[in-house]
Amino acid sequence: MKKVLFIDRDGTLVLEPPVDYQLDSLEKLEYYPKVFQYMAKIAKELNYELVMVTNQDGLGTASFPEDTFWPAQNKIITAFEKEGVVFSEILIDKTFPHENAPTRKPRTGLLKKYFSKEYDLENSFVLGDRITDMELAKNLGAKGIYLSEDPELGADEIETSKQEILNCIALTSTDWQAIYEFLKLEDRVAEITRNTNETKIYIKLNLDGSGKNNISTGLHFFDHMLDQIGRHGAMDLTIKVDGDLEVDEHHTIEDTMIAFGELFNKALGNKLGIERYGFCLPMDDCLAQVAVDFGGRNWLEWNAEFKREKIGDMPTEMFFHLFKSFTDGAKCNLNIKAEGVNEHHKIEGIFKAFAKAMKMAVKRDSNKMFLPSTKGML
């Protein structure tokens, strides 16, 4: 199935004339900063069909004669073609807003052919500077990339609630470099359901999140430690666990970390461009050190002793076991060491250092999309 970038013209590829919003002369033509550099990289490196979709109010009428439109339009298309950027279709709606034409964005009348099994609209994007472009993304079942210089542009033409439209926006940026990097570094989001006779587990993970967590395992201290992973690792975590706590904590902790490790490995995908390795941090009296290698082999070195039987509602004997369970699922090496007096600080420092190590190791560089391995596989 083909993925598509539906790209607006004015305010997206070229700057929109600020007075009348009408590009009707070559003198008004000015290209969006960095658009050639990064559109060329998108066309060359990424697997998207490029489609230009633009509203040109009243084109062909006395207020906007065609002979004032085409010189600038043809120059734009030729300039992009010289950079290797070729649009498979150029779709222009010529109506005024008050005509409510089915072909005018945000309506999809010009795009009927894309509602077919040939196209993957769910993983396609609409790029534009107006909220109506983002509504077009919603109407297509796609996602939006919003080059919002003025959030009020197009607001008088939207046909559904603004919140519904905002929910479809995957990126807001006026920087074409950021847009290119976002498209190249595909989402690393995954989820897993793991049900056994002892536990029922659901986890959703976004490796490139912002630390938004919704965690409930039935063990409050375990929830607190998992929250540290999400917050300090800058990943979004949803974890819901229903375990046999009437027996003890073992199955809940072990199965959660096995599932989390398996999900982490799945979310990493092909591992192209990751740093692979990654942290030590102080926490009051404690020094916690965690080194990680997402190299495809599981191993745990553990050097931390605890004198208390429990911290909160969590047995300290399970700390080694939960990290071992993660390494088995994630196929990674972990080397963990902690020194200190306060037992709470010691384990919390380990979890924070673990989160930071993972954040460092999974970081990607869009300009170095190769495997960090001499073997050629991880």
Side-chain angles (χ1 to χ4, degrees):
M1 296 173 71
K2 300 176 184 176
K3 297 185 294 184
V4 186
L5 298 183
F6 300 97
I7 306 174
D8 180 42
R9 192 192 76 162
D10 302 349
T12 304
L13 298 174
V14 297
L15 298 180
E16 197 157 33
V19 178
D20 56 6
Y21 299 102
Q22 191 164 285
L23 183 51
D24 53 9
S25 71
L26 291 174
E27 288 75 18
K28 290 183 176 180
L29 176 57
E30 187 176 352
Y31 295 100
Y32 210 100
K34 297 194 273 188
V35 68
F36 285 117
Q37 178 182 357
Y38 290 103
M39 274 295 293
K41 291 173 77 69
I42 288 169
K44 181 180 179 181
E45 299 174 15
L46 309 184
N47 189 29
Y48 289 97
E49 185 173 325
L50 306 179
V51 176
M52 181 185 291
V53 190
T54 177
N55 290 342
Q56 297 295 327
D57 298 9
L59 180 60
T61 66
S63 63
F64 195 0
E66 297 233 10
D67 60 1
T68 66
F69 169 80
W70 288 108
Q73 171 68 7
N74 292 336
K75 189 176 181 64
I76 292 167
I77 298 304
T78 299
F80 276 103
E81 286 178 350
K82 288 179 178 178
E83 298 297 326
V85 179
V86 178
F87 296 95
S88 63
E89 278 200 289
I90 297 170
L91 303 171
I92 302 171
D93 180 76
K94 303 178 181 181
T95 66
F96 288 105
H98 67 267
E99 297 179 65
N100 294 317
T103 52
R104 182 179 176 84
K105 293 187 294 182
R107 302 180 192 95
T108 59
L110 288 175
L111 303 168
K112 295 298 185 186
K113 67 174 272 188
Y114 298 98
F115 290 97
S116 71
K117 293 181 179 179
E118 187 180 351
Y119 291 96
D120 180 5
L121 290 179
E122 185 179 354
N123 291 301
S124 297
F125 293 88
V126 177
L127 287 73
D129 68 316
R130 293 176 180 249
I131 195 70
T132 43
D133 293 306
M134 301 302 98
E135 187 174 15
L136 175 63
K138 172 189 171 297
N139 293 341
L140 287 169
K143 292 168 279 191
I145 295 177
Y146 193 18
L147 292 86
S148 176
E149 297 278 4
D150 180 357
E152 294 306 311
L153 275 178
D156 56 344
E157 287 192 67
I158 61 173
E159 299 173 337
T160 54
S161 77
K162 192 168 184 179
Q163 188 56 53
E164 284 184 84
I165 298 170
L166 294 177
N167 290 341
C168 295
I169 299 174
L171 175 69
T172 299
S173 178
T174 57
D175 183 351
W176 267 99
Q177 180 178 351
I179 293 169
Y180 158 73
E181 290 177 350
F182 172 80
L183 291 170
K184 184 161 185 176
L185 303 178
E186 294 180 348
D187 286 349
R188 295 185 293 179
V189 179
E191 56 188 332
I192 190 172
T193 299
R194 188 182 191 272
N195 294 332
T196 70
N197 292 333
E198 298 162 342
T199 55
K200 293 179 173 59
I201 296 169
Y202 170 77
I203 308 177
K204 184 174 182 180
L205 166 68
N206 179 0
L207 281 181
D208 305 297
S210 57
K212 297 175 183 176
N213 304 318
N214 185 0
I215 298 169
S216 177
T217 67
L219 296 168
H220 298 303
F221 190 76
F222 191 32
D223 292 351
H224 180 48
M225 293 300 99
L226 291 171
D227 185 58
Q228 301 292 335
I229 295 175
R231 290 180 184 274
H232 294 282
M235 58 189 78
D236 297 339
L237 269 176
T238 298
I239 301 178
K240 300 296 179 185
V241 184
D242 182 11
D244 57 354
L245 294 177
E246 69 280 1
V247 177
D248 73 1
E249 308 88 350
H250 187 104
H251 296 143
T252 291
I253 296 169
E254 177 182 52
D255 290 2
T256 298
M257 294 306 288
I258 290 172
F260 183 39
E262 291 174 351
L263 184 63
F264 209 93
N265 189 51
K266 178 182 176 182
L268 278 175
N270 59 23
K271 301 183 182 177
L272 290 176
I274 68 167
E275 292 292 330
R276 178 177 169 179
Y277 303 101
F279 207 89
C280 72
L281 59 79
M283 186 168 180
D284 297 336
D285 60 290
C286 170
L287 178 65
Q289 303 176 67
V290 177
V292 65
D293 173 16
F294 286 103
R297 299 183 303 277
N298 57 302
W299 193 267
L300 174 63
E301 287 291 327
W302 177 263
N303 188 356
E305 294 183 1
F306 295 89
K307 297 175 183 177
R308 287 167 55 182
E309 181 182 352
K310 281 191 172 184
I311 299 178
D313 53 2
M314 198 169 170
T316 55
E317 68 177 9
M318 288 302 298
F319 294 150
F320 167 86
H321 197 66
L322 73 86
F323 285 108
K324 176 65 167 62
S325 298
F326 180 84
T327 64
D328 290 345
K331 295 182 175 61
C332 70
N333 291 180
L334 272 177
N335 193 304
I336 297 175
K337 180 179 180 181
E339 303 168 344
V341 176
N342 186 291
E343 305 290 80
H344 184 119
H345 290 167
K346 216 185 295 183
I347 190 58
E348 187 165 336
I350 287 174
F351 269 91
K352 287 178 177 178
F354 175 63
K356 288 291 189 182
M358 291 201 296
K359 180 182 178 182
M360 180 186 297
V362 304
K363 183 180 178 181
R364 294 178 296 179
D365 185 338
S366 64
N367 294 313
K368 299 176 182 177
M369 295 298 283
F370 50 79
L371 275 180
S373 169
T374 57
K375 287 183 173 64
M377 64 178 291
L378 288 177

